[in-house]
Amino acid sequence: MCGIVGYVGKSQAAPILLDGLAKLEYRGYDSSGIAVFDGDEIQIKKSKGRLKVLSEMTHDGATMPGTLGIGHTRWATHGEPSDVNAHPHFSSDRRIAVVHNGIIENYLKIKNRLIKKGYEFVSETDTEVVAHLLDYYYKKAPDKPLDAIAKVMRRLDGSYALGILFADYPDKVFAVRKDSPLIVGRSKDGNLIASDVPAVLKYTRDVYFIQNEEIVELSEEEILFYNSDCEPIEKESKYIDWDENAAEKGGYEHFMLKEIYEQPKTVRDTFMPRIKDGRVEIEELDMTDDQIREIDRIRIVACGSAYHVGVSVKYIFEGMVRIPVEVDAASEFRYRNPILGEHELVIIISQSGETADSLAALREAKARGCRVLGIVNVVGSSIAREADQVMYTWAGPEIAVATTKAYSAQLIAMYLLAIKFAYVHGRIDDAQMASYINDLQKLPDQIELLLNNKGRLQKFANRYIAAKDVFFIGRGLDYAISMEASLKLKEISYIHSDAYAGGELKHGTISLIEEGKLVGAILTQPDLYKKTMSNIVEVRTRGAFILAVTNEENVEIEKVADYVIYIPQTNPWFANSLAIIPLQLFAYYVAVGKGCDVDKPRNLAKSVTVE
């Protein structure tokens, strides 16, 4: 959540700040603001609402002179969305300005102490506490801004990435992070800070990933790094080879549609480097076969769509590898005092690698002595750094809030992991591995085939623009697919939708079925066709309209379904990668038909970096 940018250099800062914030809109926000030093003082402009309000207010930044500044898109956590609560925030004398991503857990305690010392607060935010606390320490030693920052760090509990301006230092931007993402970019025109890479790609590809409790001091000519004791440290930059167009729509109406169509490439990019000489080889796993054989239980911890990947993988791992798998919602993992075994592998799945609950679960698992594997998309992210091993999905930037291609990449990564484990545990032989690999290699072309048949599905989706409720049902792996299909529909179209295990219909859910209600039924597991078709009959006799997604071989389905989408034949373990494609498109076209903001659904954020 939230987006931070900062710039110091030769060019006017405000247009660069606005451009960087625009590249971070996918993170979700309800207000925005920028602070620029104009040569005499720090000027701040901020507003509730979309970034275009701020752009119009400043004439795209033209009315804010100065070559140094910070900017922010805010997602409200403390205080309602408003102009006053928007960032940046000032110290009382307006000589310090701060932007902040994260949550200060002890802000009330600090606020009350500062009030007793005479400080006045104008907002409801936790961030204003940081501005005043900086002011308090800075005034004790105005020639040592780094010391003031370090002292503030020691007082704050919670997570934060901070961008800071001191009016007394008109040629410097300061930044610091703890448990919230922050990067630094070096360019020939100046230097930048940002919450994520897309904000700086237009200006540079040389990026530093800031670690926890590191302080950065930027000027036009240099970038200096310090630890929390203000001691200089050395860091190496990384070259980002993303195509800049990867963060643009590329001719598609929405980022989400572009990313749906990027899934064949994403799937191929995820499995190709891990298939060598007809075998699955995951070098970054960095585990010997003996270490893999020692693992007798797997626990998958994730949130949202990544959690649904985990539910799918539970069926696959237990069926293919024959070791028990538990799946936990990351937000619940810590609070149920989980029993973790000595030979247990904990897998944390997260697109951003910064998901707060997943990161906390990772730390809990490591504290209890478990080996942790991170499945993430963002190189250098917190989960990637803190996990014992990391397996990158290489999906590239995903801008739309609702995940599509990152979800598909996570599935592929987990398929590869299951195949590797099954082979090492002796559950499959060379011939079976070759068969699995052959099916994986067909998936990109099969996904392409499904994407090319969108026209008929778009017409069908238009019939359900006014729907109030939609249900999805499935059994086994198909239930896991139903969960993701339901989430996609509800998060971007705002239609109430739920997924149910087919066998649970009789236990209450069937009372919700009435004439004309749409029920999506997923049937990709041949051994469960008859069971699910029986459930279809149950809801159809009560007036439901049935959308079925099934394999080409299932010729009996048209006897009970009203509308059928066929997917190409593949190994049943990998069916999710195909079945989800038309269901993503269905959700997309329903949302577009309703006029919803598909890329930035209300109340949602891309990267949930606070609890």
Side-chain angles (χ1 to χ4, degrees):
M1 293 181 184
C2 304
I4 288 175
V5 294
Y7 171 79
V8 53
K10 298 180 176 70
S11 301
Q12 186 181 4
I16 294 174
L17 299 175
L18 290 169
D19 179 70
L21 292 177
K23 297 298 193 298
L24 298 177
E25 284 191 291
Y26 67 90
R27 296 175 69 85
Y29 69 103
D30 48 53
S31 60
S32 60
I34 56 177
V36 176
F37 187 83
D38 66 4
D40 295 315
E41 59 184 357
I42 300 173
Q43 297 286 344
I44 286 182
K45 297 289 184 182
K46 53 186 182 177
S47 175
K48 176 184 174 182
R50 289 297 184 191
L51 190 60
K52 67 179 182 179
V53 178
L54 183 63
S55 296
E56 291 169 357
M57 181 188 301
T58 62
H59 296 275
D60 295 324
T63 60
M64 296 187 72
T67 60
L68 172 148
I70 52 178
H72 190 266
T73 49
R74 176 183 187 248
W75 177 260
T77 57
H78 294 75
E80 65 181 6
S82 68
D83 292 356
V84 172
N85 288 331
H87 297 205
H89 287 284
F90 268 136
S91 59
S92 298
D93 60 5
R94 301 174 70 89
R95 302 292 289 173
I96 299 173
V98 176
V99 292
H100 166 222
N101 180 17
I103 286 182
I104 307 303
E105 295 174 357
N106 61 335
Y107 86 103
L108 277 177
K109 183 178 179 180
I110 297 173
K111 183 176 182 177
N112 289 333
R113 288 182 177 178
L114 288 170
I115 290 172
K116 291 178 181 178
K117 294 180 183 295
Y119 284 88
E120 296 181 357
F121 289 78
V122 298
S123 78
E124 303 169 272
T125 68
D126 53 342
T127 304
E128 193 181 2
V129 166
V130 179
H132 291 314
L133 192 60
L134 271 169
D135 177 78
Y136 174 75
Y137 286 119
Y138 176 69
K139 284 179 176 174
K140 293 179 179 295
D143 59 335
K144 297 181 179 179
L146 288 176
D147 284 355
I149 293 171
K151 288 175 180 175
V152 167
M153 291 167 62
R154 288 191 279 271
R155 291 288 305 278
L156 300 180
D157 295 335
S159 62
Y160 50 85
L162 303 173
I164 305 165
L165 299 184
F166 292 90
D168 294 337
Y169 293 84
D171 60 345
K172 296 182 185 296
V173 171
F174 297 87
V176 63
R177 68 151 290 188
K178 178 179 177 289
D179 295 335
S180 286
L182 190 69
I183 65 165
V184 172
R186 180 191 295 275
S187 81
K188 62 182 180 181
D189 188 47
N191 296 308
L192 307 99
I193 61 169
S195 297
D196 205 354
V197 170
V200 304
L201 275 183
K202 182 177 178 180
Y203 310 100
T204 182
R205 295 180 179 277
D206 294 315
V207 168
Y208 299 88
F209 291 92
I210 308 307
Q211 307 262 354
N212 264 354
E213 298 186 345
E214 290 181 348
I215 307 171
V216 189
E217 178 184 335
L218 297 90
S219 64
E220 179 184 325
E221 300 296 336
E222 63 181 350
I223 303 171
L224 302 175
F225 302 97
Y226 305 90
N227 62 23
S228 59
D229 293 323
C230 301
E231 298 169 336
I233 57 175
E234 297 292 328
K235 294 184 72 70
E236 290 187 6
S237 65
K238 293 185 180 293
Y239 183 80
I240 305 298
D241 60 0
W242 293 350
D243 181 352
E244 187 177 334
N245 290 329
E248 302 296 337
K249 293 180 184 176
Y252 290 94
E253 185 178 356
H254 298 97
F255 282 114
M256 183 177 181
L257 186 61
K258 174 178 179 284
E259 289 156 7
I260 288 173
Y261 273 81
E262 287 174 343
Q263 286 176 110
K265 180 180 185 301
T266 296
V267 166
R268 188 177 285 110
D269 288 348
T270 303
F271 72 67
M272 281 297 291
R274 279 107 178 196
I275 296 176
K276 299 177 181 178
D277 301 323
R279 291 176 177 271
V280 172
E281 298 293 343
I282 309 174
E283 293 178 357
E284 63 266 50
L285 192 58
D286 194 28
M287 294 173 64
T288 66
D289 287 355
D290 285 341
Q291 288 175 320
I292 291 175
R293 278 188 284 267
E294 286 178 356
I295 294 172
D296 57 14
R297 182 179 295 271
I298 290 174
R299 189 180 303 270
I300 300 172
V301 185
C303 303
S305 292
Y307 172 78
H308 297 158
V309 170
V311 177
S312 290
V313 172
K314 173 180 171 65
Y315 291 104
I316 296 167
F317 253 94
E318 291 190 340
M320 189 187 296
V321 188
R322 303 305 297 159
I323 60 177
V325 177
E326 292 188 32
V327 186
D328 279 91
S331 57
E332 292 294 317
F333 179 76
R334 286 180 295 161
Y335 304 116
R336 68 178 186 83
N337 194 19
I339 301 172
L340 303 177
E342 180 182 355
H343 300 296
E344 189 162 337
L345 175 67
V346 176
I347 302 176
I348 308 289
I349 308 176
S350 167
Q351 188 281 137
S352 68
E354 302 290 349
T355 311
D357 287 317
S358 299
L359 186 56
L362 180 155
R363 291 167 178 164
E364 179 74 13
K366 289 194 71 173
R368 293 175 181 238
C370 287
R371 180 188 292 269
V372 177
L373 169 66
I375 308 290
V376 299
N377 190 44
V378 179
V379 176
S381 59
S382 296
I383 289 174
R385 291 195 306 272
E386 295 190 30
D388 296 300
Q389 283 82 35
V390 58
M391 187 175 178
Y392 289 114
T393 51
W394 298 321
E398 189 176 60
I399 306 302
V401 169
T403 183
T404 51
K405 66 174 182 173
Y407 171 83
S408 288
Q410 289 165 355
L411 283 173
I412 297 299
M414 295 303 290
Y415 297 162
L416 292 167
L417 204 62
I419 294 169
K420 175 71 174 179
F421 273 55
Y423 186 78
V424 172
H425 278 267
R427 303 299 183 183
I428 61 173
D429 56 22
D430 289 329
Q432 288 170 305
M433 178 182 281
S435 177
Y436 286 142
I437 290 173
N438 182 56
D439 284 322
L440 283 179
Q441 291 172 329
K442 291 178 181 177
L443 285 177
D445 289 339
Q446 291 175 322
I447 294 172
E448 195 80 51
L449 181 65
L450 289 166
L451 291 171
N452 289 338
N453 292 325
K454 66 175 184 178
R456 180 167 165 257
L457 182 59
Q458 185 174 3
K459 292 179 181 177
F460 176 77
N462 288 338
R463 297 168 53 181
Y464 286 93
I465 291 171
K468 301 297 184 185
D469 304 280
V470 176
F471 300 110
F472 291 88
I473 60 172
R475 287 173 178 260
L477 185 60
D478 292 333
Y479 172 48
I481 300 172
S482 296
M483 294 170 72
E484 177 62 11
S486 177
L487 177 62
K488 279 293 149 289
L489 183 63
K490 75 179 76 171
E491 67 183 339
I492 64 171
S493 74
Y494 317 141
I495 292 173
H496 168 255
S497 177
D498 275 317
Y500 295 97
E504 290 296 296
L505 282 172
K506 298 185 185 72
H507 299 279
T509 308
I510 202 165
S511 66
L512 299 173
I513 303 301
E514 55 189 26
E515 191 69 32
K517 192 76 69 181
L518 178 63
V519 175
I522 320 299
L523 305 90
T524 70
Q525 308 299 297
D527 58 333
L528 293 172
Y529 283 168
K530 290 183 179 179
K531 293 289 187 182
T532 304
M533 288 171 67
S534 175
N535 297 138
I536 291 173
V537 171
E538 290 174 341
V539 295
R540 194 181 188 193
T541 57
R542 288 159 176 84
F545 187 95
I546 308 301
L547 161 66
V549 178
T550 191
N551 303 319
E552 293 173 333
E553 67 177 22
N554 188 7
V555 295
E556 297 295 314
I557 190 62
E558 294 193 16
K559 296 179 181 178
V560 295
D562 298 290
Y563 185 92
V564 181
I565 299 171
Y566 291 103
I567 64 171
Q569 202 64 39
T570 190
N571 188 290
W573 295 133
F574 309 145
N576 192 342
S577 290
L578 300 179
I580 198 59
I581 302 301
L583 295 168
Q584 290 172 346
L585 285 169
F586 172 72
Y588 171 80
Y589 285 122
V590 170
V592 169
K594 292 186 66 178
C596 298
D597 190 344
V598 175
D599 287 335
K600 297 183 284 291
R602 67 190 184 199
N603 302 333
L604 297 180
K606 182 67 175 174
S607 180
V608 184
T609 56
V610 297
E611 282 195 78

